[in-house]
Amino acid sequence: MSGETNLAKLLAGMSPRCRPGRFVFVTVQSGTVDADVLASVVEPEGLSVVIAQDDADRLGLTYDYVAGWITLQVYSALEAVGLTAAVSGALAEADISCNVVAGYNHDHLLVPIDRLDDALDALRRLAVDRTVRSAVP
């Protein structure tokens, strides 16, 4: 399935959904960690990974940000323009931090766990607002 590039369609169809659990970013020096790695980035300081908070606690790994995970259900093309800006802008307006991880098919947002419901509300408002605005001639 090819991804969507039209911003109005992306926003109207994003249907944000929570992934159950609590997630953290940790840095490990080796290329492996004894946990399900949900996202990773190689950085000069080590391998940054997103794992379940329970796994980080079990492994004694240090973290300082506990996140809820939201997946935008729309199939977004990697070359789509404006989705990340619109989503992060709506969350910034609500004073909610957001760490975006782009997958091949979907965008994933890690937001503070205690603001997860607020983030979902802000994203749903964004989808409705943009849909209404694009329908007005």
Side-chain angles (χ1 to χ4, degrees):
M1 172 181 226
S2 63
E4 180 61 59
T5 59
N6 179 287
L7 182 58
K9 289 180 182 178
L10 287 167
L11 293 172
M14 64 182 170
S15 302
R17 186 176 302 157
C18 288
R19 180 180 200 156
R22 298 166 63 92
F23 306 93
V24 297
F25 290 82
V26 299
T27 300
V28 295
Q29 296 307 311
S30 69
T32 62
V33 61
D34 186 23
D36 287 336
V37 174
L38 306 170
S40 65
V41 177
V42 177
E43 299 182 290
E45 298 84 0
L47 178 65
S48 289
V49 297
V50 178
I51 61 175
Q53 181 184 15
D54 289 344
D55 286 334
D57 291 342
R58 175 179 55 82
L59 296 168
L61 298 172
T62 303
Y63 56 85
D64 58 7
Y65 181 85
V66 179
W69 188 306
I70 299 170
T71 298
L72 303 181
Q73 297 301 304
V74 67
Y75 286 93
S76 56
L78 292 171
E79 68 270 10
V81 175
L83 179 61
T84 301
V87 166
S88 62
L91 294 174
E93 257 184 46
D95 198 33
I96 300 171
S97 68
C98 174
N99 294 276
V100 179
V101 177
Y104 184 78
N105 294 304
H106 301 284
D107 291 288
H108 308 271
L109 314 172
L110 292 134
V111 300
I113 192 71
D114 63 332
R115 300 293 310 275
L116 183 58
D117 290 336
D118 297 332
L120 286 167
D121 289 343
L123 294 171
R124 289 177 182 131
R125 278 193 310 276
L126 172 64
V128 169
D129 290 349
R130 283 300 187 97
T131 302
V132 169
R133 263 191 261 150
S134 66
V136 175

